[in-house]
Amino acid sequence: MNKQKSYFLIALSVTIFVLALLLTGSSLLNYNLSKSGAIPLGTFITWIGLVALSLSVYWGVRSLRQPHNLMYRRLSLVLKVAIGLAVLWVPVSFALAGNISFNFSTKPGFQGGQEAMRIFWGYTYGIAIGALLPLVGHWIYLLFSKISKN
């Protein structure tokens, strides 16, 4: 098995594992890494999942790693931005929430408030969409390639 396939399988396995934990609401997500209870393991599990999702698409589609036309160069750029945003998810989210649990309230002011929460959710969903959009674009390209050959 080559390295790229191994990287893909590892990233995909991590993505599926994290998704299962998130969908089931596992108690592991609430496990505290500090005595004060301010650092939930779920923060880092989610972070790893966002990075793994982006990397599984990157390692799973050669044309996104080595783009051969304009469309794939653009899709590759979207994916690379998603990977970068995923890597920065914890520090950016911490800056928005003001805490590592990413709890938001109705208090006045930006940090930890409702506007920051909307940005946080848009940022988080944006990473997932930015990772999946190139994959969908790749599938559409393959579909139209097959249709045009027939």
Side-chain angles (χ1 to χ4, degrees):
M1 185 181 320
N2 63 26
K3 280 196 265 186
Q4 287 83 8
K5 189 171 184 178
S6 297
Y7 294 154
F8 166 70
L9 291 174
I10 291 167
L12 184 62
S13 298
V14 170
T15 301
I16 291 169
F17 179 71
V18 169
L19 188 60
L21 290 176
L22 292 171
L23 290 176
T24 61
S26 172
S27 60
L28 192 59
L29 299 170
N30 292 321
Y31 180 80
N32 287 306
L33 298 174
S34 71
K35 291 183 184 191
S36 67
I39 305 174
L41 183 58
T43 295
F44 299 101
I45 289 173
T46 304
W47 189 18
I48 290 167
L50 287 170
V51 172
L53 172 64
S54 301
L55 290 176
S56 63
V57 174
Y58 179 81
W59 290 112
V61 181
R62 176 182 289 172
S63 295
L64 294 172
R65 284 191 315 275
Q66 301 165 349
H68 57 276
N69 63 28
L70 179 61
M71 187 198 74
Y72 276 110
R73 281 193 289 278
R74 290 183 177 162
L75 292 175
S76 178
L77 178 63
V78 169
L79 182 57
K80 289 173 183 173
V81 168
I83 292 168
L85 292 174
V87 168
L88 295 172
W89 184 74
V90 166
V92 169
S93 298
F94 179 79
L96 290 169
N99 60 71
I100 199 74
S101 300
F102 306 151
N103 292 323
F104 296 88
S105 67
T106 56
K107 71 177 187 165
F110 179 76
Q111 189 178 48
Q114 294 299 297
E115 184 62 27
M117 180 184 70
R118 283 189 283 279
I119 294 170
F120 166 80
W121 284 111
Y123 181 68
T124 303
Y125 287 126
I127 293 168
I129 291 167
L132 295 174
L133 186 65
L135 181 62
V136 171
H138 170 68
W139 288 340
I140 291 170
Y141 182 82
L142 291 179
L143 178 67
F144 282 109
S145 295
K146 284 190 177 195
I147 290 172
S148 68
K149 286 181 182 176
N150 292 335

